[in-house]
Amino acid sequence: MSKSVLDAAHFHDEHAAYAYLESRIWPSGPVCPKCGGCERIGKMGGKSTRIGVYKCYQCRKPFRATVGTVFEASHVPLRLWLQAVHLMASSKKGISSNQFHRVLGVTLKTAWFMSHRIREAMKVLGMEPMGGEGQIVEVDETAIGRLEGVPKQKAGYAHKNLVLTLVERGGSARSFHVDSTSLADILPVVRANIRRESKLMTWYKPVGKEFASHGAVAHSKHEYGRGEIHTNTVEGFYSIFKRGMKGVYQHCAEKHLHRYLAEFDFRYSNRVALGIDDVARADRALKGIVGKRLTYQTPHH
Ligand SMILES: [Zn+2]
């Protein structure tokens, strides 16, 4: 019988959990988060010392691998954080706070904080534009959830949140919560995130005209694309996103939508078809915990 991924020591033992995290975020050895030094660092031992504590003899400050990360200031054992990251990274449609609460044995409030912090870790900062010469990027939009205070409409999207997604065929996905599908809202996003040399697939002609070439995709979903002219890839992304948002998350406050988008973008951009398995995907999320300590304190559901 093959070994279960969940048998790994870092999911059960706090020492192993720190060793695992350190090897992921400090590939060349410990780095002091206060002064950035890496030369004069010693590991603190002894029974009274907490696990994973180092001391920097340059600035005389003790630190752990979790300092300055989304795990900082949390009382949750690191091994549970690693379990949570693995679960969220490997669950195709996401995992609810309720399930974290039941599986990890933490309170619902803690589970909620953990899940948003992991989403923050999955967020990619300072992204280069996607696409390039010969690359195809699909652009589409979808409506999700309800806007607060806007009555439900019989037709149209006025009462829903709008999402704009860019997907590079054979590559990654980037989603944005936009105010409208007007040119003024879409064009700046497209310009900042897609290289002009790309081939653009969009139903939105004024956007496509800015690119090396573009395929005008019929906006009606009843019309099929011709050859490479289609937006099936981004529609596939939306189908997973919608199944997750409806089936797993159910409620999502408007102000948190960007966090869920980061989560679905992350899993898509690090998918098996690109050679990234569950363990490698969780490791990538772990690398993303650095430098993103969250400051908000008020829980909302
Ligand atoms: Zn230091």
Side-chain angles (χ1 to χ4, degrees):
M1 218 164 92
S2 66
K3 200 170 180 262
S4 163
V5 170
L6 301 176
D7 284 340
H10 60 265
F11 290 137
H12 308 282
D13 174 80
E14 208 57 6
H15 287 277
Y18 272 91
Y20 190 86
L21 180 65
E22 290 167 10
S23 71
R24 271 30 186 205
I25 66 171
W26 294 333
S28 320
V31 181
C32 170
K34 302 264 168 33
C35 73
C38 55
E39 311 261 295
R40 297 164 60 208
I41 290 172
K43 185 154 191 180
M44 307 293 279
K47 280 185 181 144
S48 59
T49 313
R50 290 186 304 161
I51 296 167
V53 179
Y54 290 81
K55 185 168 178 178
C56 172
Y57 293 98
Q58 198 164 292
C59 70
R60 312 206 141 265
K61 295 283 193 301
F63 64 91
R64 305 210 275 186
T66 49
V67 171
T69 74
V70 301
F71 297 167
E72 191 179 354
S74 157
H75 299 296
V76 175
L78 185 59
R79 63 184 188 278
L80 294 189
W81 273 112
L82 298 184
Q83 290 181 20
V85 169
H86 185 85
L87 287 169
M88 193 178 275
S90 59
S91 305
K92 198 169 181 182
K93 288 179 280 177
I95 179 160
S96 67
S97 296
N98 235 307
Q99 189 145 1
F100 272 153
H101 161 57
R102 297 194 308 270
V103 172
L104 305 175
V106 297
T107 66
L108 192 55
K109 188 180 161 189
T110 297
W112 187 88
F113 273 104
M114 290 177 81
S115 56
H116 271 331
R117 285 176 186 197
I118 296 168
R119 282 182 196 109
E120 200 61 28
M122 290 175 166
K123 199 170 276 182
V124 184
L125 303 177
M127 290 187 284
E128 292 283 307
M130 64 204 313
E133 205 178 329
Q135 302 293 317
I136 298 174
V137 180
E138 299 180 18
V139 178
D140 202 0
E141 108 265 317
T142 195
I144 188 99
R146 284 283 302 275
L147 278 172
E148 278 165 42
V150 181
K152 193 172 181 177
Q153 316 284 311
K154 275 185 181 152
Y157 291 159
H159 63 294
K160 287 176 171 273
N161 292 297
L162 291 173
V163 172
L164 179 74
T165 300
L166 325 173
V167 176
E168 183 178 320
R169 254 180 235 170
S172 60
R174 273 179 215 185
S175 302
F176 304 84
H177 183 189
V178 291
D179 288 337
S180 77
T181 52
S182 71
L183 205 55
D185 280 321
I186 289 182
L187 208 49
V189 178
V190 168
R191 279 180 178 159
N193 287 280
I194 307 177
R195 291 194 176 87
R196 299 296 165 90
E197 305 80 40
S198 316
K199 281 187 191 176
L200 207 73
M201 296 300 151
T202 174
W203 58 271
Y204 214 50
K205 282 179 192 166
V207 174
K209 278 180 183 151
E210 301 226 341
F211 289 79
S213 73
H214 72 277
V217 179
H219 200 202
S220 157
K221 307 292 183 202
H222 302 294
E223 268 185 65
Y224 292 97
R226 309 174 301 275
E228 66 173 20
I229 316 280
H230 64 78
T231 50
N232 296 348
T233 321
V234 63
E235 282 161 34
F237 171 87
Y238 281 148
S239 117
I240 296 165
F241 171 63
K242 294 205 154 181
R243 274 185 282 153
M245 292 306 284
K246 281 182 190 157
V248 177
Y249 293 125
Q250 293 159 3
H251 304 286
C252 158
E254 188 187 343
K255 66 174 178 178
H256 293 307
L257 179 59
H258 70 281
R259 301 183 193 280
Y260 292 91
L261 291 172
E263 178 195 336
F264 283 87
D265 284 352
F266 173 83
R267 275 192 301 265
Y268 183 85
S269 303
N270 296 285
R271 61 194 183 275
V272 171
L274 298 177
I276 301 158
D277 67 11
D278 288 349
V279 172
R281 194 176 314 111
D283 281 354
R284 287 192 181 201
L286 279 181
K287 288 197 181 94
I289 69 170
V290 180
K292 290 182 187 157
R293 192 174 170 223
L294 291 193
T295 48
Y296 70 85
Q297 293 294 327
T298 329
H300 286 283
H301 295 273

